[in-house]
Amino acid sequence: MDFLSPGPDEKIRTRGLNLVVRKKKLVGFEKKVDKMKFRLCVLAFFAVCLNGYGVERKVEVRSPDGKNRFVLLHSSEEIRYEVWCDGFRVVSPSRLGFVFDSGAWGDGLELGRIERRRIDETYRLVVGKVREARSFCNAARIPLSESGPSARRIDLEVRAFNDGVAFRFLFPQQETWQRYVMYEEQTQFNLSGDPEALVMYLPGYVNTHEGPYVQVGLDQIDSARLIELPATFRYPDRLYVSILEAGVRDYAGMYLMRGAEGLEARLSPKLGQERIKVVADSLPHRTPWRVLSMGSSMEVLLRSTILTDLNDPCAIADTSWIKPCRTTFTWWNGNVVPDTLFSPGNNFETNKYYIDFAARHGIDLHGIYGYAETPWYYDDNFNFGTAGPHADPTRPVPCLEMPRIVAYAREKGVGLHLWVHWRALYPKLEEAFALYEKWGVRGLMIDFMDRDDQEMIRIQEEFLQAAARHKLFVQFHGSSKPSGLVRTYPNEFTREGTMNYEVCKWSDAVTADHDVSIPFTRMLAGATDYHLGGFRSERRSEFRPRYINPRVPVTRCHMLAMYVVLENHLTMLCDTPAAYEGAPGFEFILAVPATWDEIRVPHAAFNRYVTVARRKEGDWWVGSLNNGERRDLTLPLDFLDEGVDYLADIYLDASDADPGSLQRIRRIVRRSDRIELPLAPDGGAALHLKPMNNH
């Protein structure tokens, strides 16, 4: 309910004064006028008596279960908001507002007629953490208009879910205001108390969106540095909260920075300057959703579909061609080939070797990027990191023999997956995509975007729309985090947007400790490409970066578990055929699905370890990730169906502590059973449970 009119015993808050209206003392008067006149009289009475006090009104939106509340605090001078979860005030009064080229918005704000509704819809995700999701919330649209003849109107839209709250601003079409240039969005998140924070700092707005996470108290966050989203906060023994954004379209990406009163929004500016953040050439327009995902356990946040709930339905009419798949990615291992008569490089024989490997094992795709940092297509810079002014992704280098590769891959039943620099691709979008469709290419890795200003956000959506017209999936690299747009464009299979195992080629920055931080932060935003599949494990103390044939500083079981714990609709196998063939655990990654029907979270110790169970049809897959400390976990199987026997393949860290070895145990289990998981330092466990009556 909103508190624009007093109830039986309600408060009208004023600056420096709280007045309580008790109807029982005004019974005689109320008998002479109807209920509405009484309320108007009371409000008028206080307006006269207060003579200059700014009356602050409350508008409240509650979740269906009543536990989560968004409260708008409105006066003629400003608007602020609070967020509550199960009786605890998560966000103390925090400001909302904008600064435009025409001046700050918010002078003499008047509240219009509030529209309320309950949303309860079930929708199907073509790819995602679940097959069917339920968007269940209470929603309100709150009109806010400045006073005066040239008043600007902005509507605040709020949705309160059982697992979080979200709000955004809508700029409706209006005669007195037809376009805007935005300098600042003044959204603030004044979190209560001093929760533990798990955050990533960034050097600036133009960046790869990759870096380590640090765990600090909220008050210890560096106030001079940008914070990437998602940022997650833990109130011990009470609550977990993550700040995210959803539905980022035709707008700038949002970051956080610690200010004097709390965390403040920072928008990625238009490239080449700092002042202009967003330009709307016409209205209507809108901001993305500002989201607080909340729950008493991390399982609530990990299972939440709030980001896809807040995005538009699927925009692709025919999705039958969208099928998650597996791919080689030879750049990671250095395009290693056996000691034969041909040399590795941009040639047919190198690609034939990997196509044959894919065909032998039912791997859907072979990824082609080029060789030795040189693209597979003509580029006058001859460097895949900086596209030259005449780079042309429709002109394969002659030595590659692309027509021959296309024909051979088709003969072997293996699709193609192409890497391309976005700057080279964008000017030739339709021409290139039509050619790739003709070649039988299934999808693209579009790389080096490194921005999320409004222009780049628009370009990313153009890529998705054009790719859908030509039945291509997209894998964004060097990109910002996702925002639930996979519901609208399910041909977006994954994004990078996180520091991952590619750095094992040149750095020791990625460890099991970093891996464990990802489910509590970046993964909450959606699928992440983590360059999985390194099968050459070394102890952390012995690990050294290698550009060719790199190693990984985690156990084999830790690597297997990553395929289950992380959401990624394009399963990557980065290592060489020689590293996989005959190696224990290879069969696991050849079978693990890339999209899911259901998710459970048996364990989630903040930034220490996590266990995720996912179901695909009748089978369950489990991954357990550990940090650098040895521990023993017990896995309850209460997510299994009652009365069904399951054949469990259990992959555990080797008892001899060799990180490249594992134990594979096969046993029959039921729902009432529990499985012991001894986790080595930097280790993990992986399970595949198949119902016996289906196999």
Side-chain angles (χ1 to χ4, degrees):
M1 63 180 291
D2 68 75
F3 293 88
L4 295 180
S5 52
D9 190 11
E10 296 180 17
K11 294 182 180 180
I12 299 177
R13 295 186 58 198
T14 66
R15 289 183 172 244
L17 190 61
N18 288 327
L19 300 177
V20 180
V21 181
R22 299 192 185 276
K23 286 186 181 177
K24 61 185 179 181
K25 294 184 179 180
L26 297 169
V27 173
F29 179 72
E30 189 174 10
K31 289 180 179 178
K32 297 178 182 179
V33 294
D34 60 28
K35 190 176 182 180
M36 182 58 70
K37 288 181 180 178
F38 168 75
R39 292 177 174 177
L40 291 174
C41 288
V42 171
L43 290 176
F45 170 77
F46 283 121
V48 171
C49 292
L50 294 170
N51 189 24
Y53 281 94
V55 176
E56 186 176 74
R57 300 170 177 174
K58 287 186 178 182
V59 180
E60 183 175 286
V61 185
R62 291 178 180 261
S63 59
D65 65 4
K67 291 185 177 181
N68 294 330
R69 292 188 289 145
F70 178 98
V71 182
L72 178 69
L73 308 172
H74 164 263
S75 73
S76 60
E77 299 177 359
E78 65 178 355
I79 56 170
R80 299 174 298 155
Y81 77 99
E82 297 175 334
V83 173
W84 296 74
C85 180
D86 203 14
F88 175 70
R89 187 167 68 175
V90 181
V91 178
S92 299
S94 300
R95 72 175 181 270
L96 298 169
F98 297 94
V99 178
F100 300 102
D101 58 344
S102 54
W105 174 79
D107 184 29
L109 284 180
E110 297 176 355
L111 207 61
R113 181 177 176 275
I114 300 169
E115 300 175 10
R116 295 181 179 273
R117 63 189 176 116
R118 171 164 288 194
I119 298 171
D120 190 357
E121 62 172 355
T122 300
Y123 60 93
R124 178 162 287 193
L125 289 170
V126 179
V127 295
K129 69 170 71 173
V130 295
R131 179 63 168 161
E132 286 192 347
R134 183 189 184 194
S135 178
F136 184 40
C137 65
N138 287 324
R141 181 165 176 161
I142 308 166
L144 296 158
S145 299
E146 295 170 313
S147 58
S150 60
R152 297 168 293 183
R153 174 182 165 184
I154 301 178
D155 294 353
L156 176 65
E157 185 174 7
V158 179
R159 295 187 185 179
F161 299 81
N162 293 342
D163 55 8
V165 298
F167 60 92
R168 68 175 176 179
F169 290 93
L170 307 170
F171 305 88
Q173 192 172 15
Q174 48 203 287
E175 291 185 7
T176 57
W177 195 32
Q178 298 178 353
R179 66 181 304 275
Y180 71 73
V181 176
M182 185 191 297
Y183 293 154
E184 297 293 345
E185 178 188 327
Q186 296 179 314
T187 300
Q188 185 184 64
F189 302 88
N190 185 12
L191 296 178
S192 300
D194 186 24
E196 294 175 283
L198 194 55
V199 297
M200 180 202 299
Y201 295 124
L202 292 175
Y205 294 107
V206 178
N207 65 85
T208 61
H209 303 272
E210 300 173 14
Y213 286 89
V214 296
Q215 185 174 345
V216 295
L218 176 63
D219 290 346
Q220 301 302 311
I221 289 177
D222 190 334
S223 60
R225 303 178 72 181
L226 282 177
I227 301 169
E228 174 72 299
L229 297 183
T232 305
F233 305 87
R234 175 177 175 259
Y235 293 88
D237 303 320
R238 180 187 290 272
L239 187 67
Y240 295 84
V241 180
S242 190
I243 300 175
L244 311 98
E245 58 179 341
V248 183
R249 303 174 70 179
D250 194 17
Y251 202 85
M254 186 178 81
Y255 302 81
L256 298 174
M257 183 172 280
R258 187 165 74 88
E261 298 181 16
L263 297 171
E264 300 173 348
R266 292 288 187 271
L267 299 183
S268 187
K270 187 176 180 180
L271 194 64
Q273 53 85 65
E274 290 292 326
R275 193 176 189 191
I276 297 174
K277 306 303 194 306
V278 180
V279 176
D281 293 323
S282 63
L283 301 185
H285 200 243
R286 76 282 170 277
T287 73
W289 292 94
R290 282 54 185 105
V291 182
L292 288 101
S293 181
M294 305 182 296
S296 59
S297 69
M298 272 305 303
E299 180 174 13
V300 176
L301 278 63
L302 286 163
R303 295 182 65 182
S304 175
T305 59
I306 193 169
L307 294 194
T308 51
D309 293 348
L310 293 164
N311 274 268
D312 290 340
C314 184
I316 302 173
D318 174 21
T319 60
S320 60
W321 57 273
I322 301 176
K323 299 183 186 301
C325 43
R326 293 171 177 76
T327 185
T328 65
F329 187 51
T330 59
W331 171 83
W332 188 83
N333 67 60
N335 258 321
V336 170
V337 298
D339 185 13
T340 60
L341 295 177
F342 67 90
S343 298
N346 262 338
N347 56 49
F348 170 76
E349 293 296 338
T350 297
N351 287 280
K352 176 181 179 297
Y353 172 65
Y354 281 91
I355 291 169
D356 288 341
F357 164 68
R360 282 196 301 274
H361 299 287
I363 299 168
D364 307 282
L365 310 176
H366 166 56
I368 300 175
Y369 84 93
Y371 179 72
E373 315 307 318
T374 301
W376 59 268
Y377 52 83
Y378 175 79
D379 186 337
D380 36 359
N381 274 358
F382 296 101
N383 187 307
F384 78 4
T386 54
H390 304 103
D392 186 351
T394 67
R395 291 174 55 195
V397 293
C399 59
L400 185 64
E401 299 184 86
M402 182 62 89
R404 191 178 175 194
I405 290 174
V406 168
Y408 188 75
R410 185 176 292 123
E411 175 189 332
K412 290 291 185 176
V414 176
L416 297 178
H417 168 221
L418 302 180
W419 173 94
V420 64
H421 195 295
W422 82 269
R423 288 188 182 277
L425 177 63
Y426 190 57
K428 292 178 173 288
L429 197 54
E430 282 297 325
E431 180 185 355
F433 281 6
L435 178 63
Y436 301 159
E437 184 180 19
K438 180 180 177 181
W439 285 348
V441 170
R442 294 272 301 279
L444 303 171
M445 176 190 287
I446 303 176
D447 207 349
F448 291 105
M449 313 194 87
D450 293 347
R451 295 159 39 199
D452 61 349
D453 55 88
Q454 185 181 17
E455 179 187 41
M456 181 54 73
I457 293 297
R458 287 172 174 165
I459 287 172
Q460 289 180 3
E461 189 162 350
E462 286 182 60
F463 280 139
L464 290 168
Q465 291 169 339
R469 289 194 292 272
H470 295 280
K471 294 182 169 54
L472 299 168
F473 70 76
V474 173
Q475 170 190 15
F476 288 123
H477 255 225
S479 66
S480 53
K481 82 282 180 190
S483 65
L485 205 58
V486 67
R487 179 183 178 187
T488 310
Y489 298 106
N491 61 324
E492 181 188 309
F493 276 8
T494 191
R495 287 174 179 247
E496 197 175 24
T498 188
M499 188 168 69
N500 56 73
Y501 284 117
E502 70 174 358
V503 307
C504 292
K505 292 167 71 70
W506 58 79
S507 168
D508 61 359
V510 169
T511 64
D513 301 299
H514 176 72
D515 292 346
V516 167
S517 70
I518 302 304
F520 298 96
T521 51
R522 168 62 180 80
M523 197 179 84
L524 299 176
T528 176
D529 182 3
Y530 211 74
H531 287 75
L532 295 180
F535 256 40
R536 304 169 196 268
S537 297
E538 290 184 340
R539 292 182 178 86
R540 190 190 300 205
S541 60
E542 299 170 354
F543 174 81
R544 298 292 182 273
R546 297 173 177 83
Y547 204 79
I548 304 298
N549 267 332
R551 273 51 169 175
V552 292
V554 296
T555 70
R556 177 76 55 82
C557 282
H558 183 101
M559 181 60 67
L560 298 185
M562 294 285 283
Y563 283 94
V564 180
V565 173
L566 297 188
E567 185 182 345
N568 182 4
H569 314 307
L570 180 65
T571 303
M572 190 177 282
L573 290 85
C574 288
D575 221 325
T576 64
Y580 290 127
E581 292 182 316
F586 182 41
E587 68 282 359
F588 185 90
I589 60 176
L590 289 176
V592 66
T595 190
W596 305 94
D597 297 333
E598 186 179 354
I599 176 175
R600 300 288 184 88
V601 185
H603 306 119
F606 194 61
N607 208 27
R608 293 165 56 213
Y609 58 88
V610 63
T611 304
V612 175
R614 299 184 189 266
R615 180 178 62 82
K616 181 66 173 179
E617 298 176 346
D619 289 15
W620 281 92
W621 302 75
V622 181
S624 190
L625 291 182
N626 191 26
N627 65 4
E629 301 177 15
R630 189 197 176 282
R631 61 175 39 87
D632 296 313
L633 298 180
T634 300
L635 175 67
L637 300 180
D638 52 2
F639 49 84
L640 300 179
D641 288 342
E642 190 69 58
V644 178
D645 290 334
Y646 288 79
L647 180 63
D649 283 316
I650 306 166
Y651 297 82
L652 300 175
D653 291 322
S655 57
D656 61 3
D658 178 0
S661 300
L662 56 79
Q663 307 174 65
R664 181 180 176 182
I665 301 167
R666 174 168 284 187
R667 55 181 278 202
I668 296 174
V669 298
R670 307 194 86 186
R671 177 185 171 90
S672 57
D673 290 335
R674 300 164 73 86
I675 296 177
E676 300 303 318
L677 304 179
L679 305 181
D682 305 322
L687 296 85
H688 180 195
L689 302 107
K690 299 171 284 189
M692 299 286 286
N693 54 347
N694 290 348
H695 295 270

